Amino acid sequence: MSDPAITSLADLNRFRSAPQLSSHERKDLKNELIAEMHHFAWFTVGVMAPSSTDAMTCLRDLELAMGWPPMKCEEGTRIESGVFLKANQSTGCIRIRAEAGLGEGFLISGHQAESQQLGPQSGPTWGPLPLDFFHD
């Protein structure tokens, strides 16, 4: 393992950028993430990337892996420096802005928990996960 302390999604909370993950860590974290996501109706995704192209590739890989319909970017802006992408699955909208000094990776938050036992409508935020986490 690249970091013996990365055994669950909760371990990622301490990172500003997504850590390097072994194939074993990726598999375990992916299984845990997908299991956790089943408790929520929809998601928001935040992507910190070196360019808008990298951010969109990360989001499209996630959409494909999860079987989500593609969301639509509100602006066709191409940014070749650091960016933050925010995608809202409920509205289907993607917004991208130039943002310097961020880490790199993506975060995902669940919304509208299916069970009252899970507490509030919004769930936890998972990540940061590597930009290529769902690139298969």
Side-chain angles (χ1 to χ4, degrees):
M1 292 175 89
S2 59
D3 182 338
I6 301 174
T7 59
S8 72
L9 290 171
D11 294 329
L12 297 173
N13 293 339
R14 69 176 190 255
F15 293 96
R16 184 168 182 226
S17 284
Q20 294 280 43
L21 300 173
S22 69
S23 58
H24 178 72
E25 289 169 327
R26 281 177 178 262
K27 181 181 177 222
D28 289 350
L29 292 175
K30 194 177 292 185
N31 288 338
E32 182 183 357
L33 178 62
I34 291 169
E36 290 294 322
M37 289 173 69
H38 284 295
H39 299 291
F40 299 93
W42 61 276
F43 303 90
T44 52
V45 180
V47 182
M48 306 167 292
S51 72
S52 57
T53 301
D54 293 328
M56 286 299 296
T57 298
C58 174
L59 179 64
R60 296 303 185 214
D61 289 344
L62 173 62
E63 290 171 333
L64 185 62
M66 300 308 297
W68 297 347
M71 292 180 255
K72 294 185 174 79
C73 199
E74 289 190 345
E75 302 157 2
T77 306
R78 188 175 199 170
I79 303 169
E80 296 301 327
S81 61
V83 300
F84 182 75
L85 174 152
K86 177 139 187 195
N88 183 314
Q89 194 184 31
S90 178
T91 63
C93 293
I94 301 167
R95 292 188 177 132
I96 303 174
R97 68 176 187 259
E99 190 75 43
L102 295 177
E104 187 174 301
F106 77 94
L107 305 161
I108 186 164
S109 299
H111 302 279
Q112 289 185 329
E114 293 177 353
S115 168
Q116 293 295 353
Q117 295 173 352
L118 294 177
Q121 290 287 353
S122 291
T125 297
W126 303 289
L129 292 155
L131 294 175
D132 66 349
F133 191 69
F134 282 104
H135 189 79
D136 291 325

